[in-house]
Amino acid sequence: MDRYAGVLEEAADGTRQQERHYQLLSALQSLVKELPSSFQQRLSYTTLSDLALALLDGTVFEIVQGLLEIQHLTEKSLYNQRLRLQNEHRVLRQALRQKHQEAQQACQPHNLPVLQAAQQREQEAMEHRIREEQRAMDQKIILELDRKVADQQSTLEKAGVAGFYVTTNPQELTLQMNLLELIRKLQQRGCQAGKAAL
């Protein structure tokens, strides 16, 4: 008798899983209608069904939430690094201005044009250095964000989330961002595992 009870319980679990899959698929199909038509066409029934299957146990929701938190921390850190660099540059500019003013006040009037020309060259050299440092910082930030995107893509691909793989193709990236947005909207609606409310 216990063997039959186990079989019935497995069948009930399978039925619940199918119902949950159908609920998630329906919710995804509804959300896809909010996307631009060019992306709606790229999200086939099979892709949405595979995405719904990946979302069944709620793990992907947790993964996406974790990735989002990591992304926010990374962005905040990079933003703070850039702010520190800008503040350092502001201090450099102020110090140079102060140095130039003091030198001009102490300078004999007949030497002023020579001093001003030298100060102009010094100012231009510093501005060039500042621009190079800012460019290098911006490139570092872009590379770090690109690495984060690749890490996120890899993580979601390994988790079996349909549509995710490591790519730099802008159209594919936009499609993946739309898929993430669908997952987040489902999460906000309370479609995680065990929650029936859609």
Side-chain angles (χ1 to χ4, degrees):
M1 206 56 165
D2 288 338
R3 192 174 84 195
Y4 294 116
V7 169
L8 288 175
E9 194 173 305
E10 283 181 30
D13 283 347
T15 302
R16 279 193 296 274
Q17 289 281 76
Q18 278 186 317
E19 287 173 5
R20 176 119 177 84
H21 176 255
Y22 178 73
Q23 288 175 332
L24 286 168
L25 181 57
S26 272
L28 283 168
Q29 287 173 321
S30 163
L31 288 171
V32 164
K33 292 176 184 170
E34 298 171 14
L35 295 176
S37 61
S38 61
F39 290 107
Q40 289 179 27
Q41 294 167 3
R42 301 217 27 229
L43 294 171
S44 68
Y45 177 86
T46 304
T47 301
L48 293 177
S49 180
D50 290 347
L51 181 57
L53 280 172
L55 296 172
L56 274 178
D57 71 354
T59 305
V60 171
F61 290 115
E62 293 172 18
I63 291 170
V64 167
Q65 188 60 40
L67 291 173
L68 187 62
E69 289 169 10
I70 291 168
Q71 179 178 335
H72 286 163
L73 289 173
T74 301
E75 288 172 353
K76 185 176 182 177
S77 171
L78 293 170
Y79 175 75
N80 287 334
Q81 287 176 35
R82 193 167 198 288
L83 269 183
R84 274 193 301 278
L85 182 66
Q86 287 175 330
N87 285 335
E88 289 171 18
H89 291 160
R90 185 178 42 76
V91 168
L92 279 174
R93 284 181 176 118
Q94 286 175 342
L96 188 64
R97 246 190 322 274
Q98 181 69 30
K99 177 183 152 192
H100 286 179
Q101 285 174 352
E102 290 171 3
Q104 287 177 12
Q105 288 171 354
C107 181
Q108 296 296 324
H110 66 277
N111 291 333
L112 194 57
V114 173
L115 176 66
Q116 287 174 332
Q119 288 178 340
Q120 180 67 30
R121 286 190 301 276
E122 186 179 18
Q123 175 78 28
E124 288 170 1
M126 187 189 69
E127 289 299 329
H128 177 72
R129 186 180 122 221
I130 286 173
R131 278 192 306 276
E132 287 302 310
E133 287 178 4
Q134 286 177 334
R135 189 181 57 74
M137 173 62 77
D138 291 344
Q139 285 178 333
K140 176 188 169 214
I141 288 171
I142 289 168
L143 287 173
E144 181 63 28
L145 291 174
D146 285 347
R147 265 195 298 276
K148 279 291 171 220
V149 168
D151 289 348
Q152 291 171 343
Q153 292 168 330
S154 176
T155 300
L156 291 168
E157 179 182 25
K158 288 175 185 168
V161 182
F164 283 90
Y165 58 92
V166 178
T167 182
T168 56
N169 179 314
Q171 292 169 328
E172 294 302 312
L173 285 170
T174 305
L175 181 64
Q176 290 178 353
M177 289 184 338
N178 283 319
L179 288 170
L180 275 176
E181 189 59 28
L182 293 176
I183 293 168
R184 292 202 54 229
K185 284 182 179 180
L186 283 177
Q187 192 172 22
Q188 289 167 353
R189 285 186 178 186
C191 292
Q192 292 120 318
K195 295 183 182 176
L198 295 175

